[in-house]
């Protein structure tokens, strides 16, 4: 998928999950941070491709020493990213909610971490269905062949999926804004 498709599709999946679990209105600020971070995280695995948006904005050219769809597109790369990001973010601010009696502020810092990690993972899942696929167990095991169901990057099916994701995000956003304005009575 292209970066824009990764972002919108990942945001749509996470927003659907928030609405389906009825947790969107509990801490709207944290959930908006989660959605924004998911969009950013969905672009991060392509930092190893020299012409990707995230690679062009990076001060380090990772494509010089990382092969595209190599370690950054594997389960090991995702785990390394999640763990390093967790420890770096904990060095800056511990990932705990701030408590002020009688209020508990939402854990936006934790939402940012979770969004980046979920976005990264969803990127891998989405790329699994591309023609090139993803080697989930690289560098330990390299699968051969392509997925049973696949799409062409930048092709018409990807554009169709992105359009559906855009429409879904718009509808879901209208829904949760509606719920914020006109809350449903609790039983």
């Amino acid at each position: 998928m292209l970066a824009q498709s990764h972002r919108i599709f990942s945001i749509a999946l996470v927003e659907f999950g928030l609405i389906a679990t009825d947790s969107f209105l509990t801490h709207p600020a944290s959930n908006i941070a989660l959605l924004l971070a998911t969009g950013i995280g969905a672009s991060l695995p392509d930092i190893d491709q020299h012409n990707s948006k995230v690679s062009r904005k990076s001060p380090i050219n990772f494509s010089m020493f990382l092969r595209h769809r190599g370690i950054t597109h594997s389960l090991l790369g995702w785990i390394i990213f999640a763990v390093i990001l967790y420890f770096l973010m904990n060095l800056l601010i511990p990932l705990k909610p701030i408590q002020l009696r009688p209020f508990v502020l939402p854990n936006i810092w934790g939402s940012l971490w979770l969004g980046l990690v979920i976005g990264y993972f969803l990127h891998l899942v989405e790329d699994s269905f591309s023609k090139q696929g993803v080697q989930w167990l690289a560098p330990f095991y390299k699968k051969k062949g392509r997925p049973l169901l696949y799409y062409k990057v930048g092709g018409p099916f990807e554009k169709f999926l992105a359009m559906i994701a855009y429409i879904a995000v718009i509808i879901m956003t209208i829904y949760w804004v509606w719920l914020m304005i006109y809350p449903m009575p609790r039983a």
Side-chain angles (χ1 to χ4, degrees):
M1 280 189 166
L2 301 174
Q4 188 173 355
S5 301
H6 275 300
R7 282 189 219 115
I8 194 65
F9 199 72
S10 296
I11 288 171
L13 288 172
V14 171
E15 189 171 11
F16 177 76
L18 288 171
I19 289 174
T21 59
D22 197 29
S23 62
F24 203 91
L25 298 177
T26 53
H27 294 294
S30 284
N31 292 327
I32 290 170
L34 175 73
L35 292 173
L36 292 174
T38 298
I40 294 168
S43 299
L44 292 178
D46 283 338
I47 200 162
D48 60 3
Q49 189 176 24
H50 72 282
N51 63 347
S52 70
K53 287 184 181 182
V54 69
S55 181
R56 286 180 291 192
K57 293 180 182 187
S58 172
I60 302 169
N61 185 359
F62 287 95
S63 66
M64 300 215 22
F65 52 91
L66 291 174
R67 181 180 58 85
H68 183 55
R69 296 211 181 190
I71 189 74
T72 62
H73 281 72
S74 71
L75 194 58
L76 178 64
W78 175 70
I79 291 169
I80 290 170
F81 168 76
V83 169
I84 289 174
L85 182 66
Y86 180 82
F87 285 112
L88 288 176
M89 290 178 77
N90 260 316
L91 285 175
L92 296 174
I93 299 174
L95 294 174
K96 297 176 186 167
I98 302 167
Q99 294 189 5
L100 300 173
R101 306 260 189 253
F103 304 105
V104 176
L105 297 176
N107 187 353
I108 294 177
W109 199 242
S111 295
L112 290 174
W113 176 81
L114 186 62
L116 290 168
V117 171
I118 288 173
Y120 193 112
F121 184 77
L122 288 175
H123 178 112
L124 301 181
V125 172
E126 293 156 8
D127 273 358
S128 293
F129 295 101
S130 70
K131 193 173 184 178
Q132 295 85 5
V134 167
Q135 295 178 351
W136 282 94
L137 300 176
F140 307 112
Y141 174 77
K142 299 192 181 209
K143 79 171 172 100
K144 305 274 189 213
R146 59 171 81 140
L148 193 58
L149 298 169
Y150 64 89
Y151 64 89
K152 183 176 183 254
V153 174
F157 187 68
E158 178 185 338
K159 291 177 183 173
F160 173 74
L161 286 177
M163 182 185 69
I164 297 295
Y166 273 114
I167 293 168
V169 166
I170 291 168
I171 291 170
M172 288 185 285
T173 303
I174 291 170
Y175 175 72
W176 67 258
V177 168
W178 176 270
L179 287 179
M180 288 178 72
I181 296 170
Y182 304 106
M184 294 171 57
R186 298 269 178 193

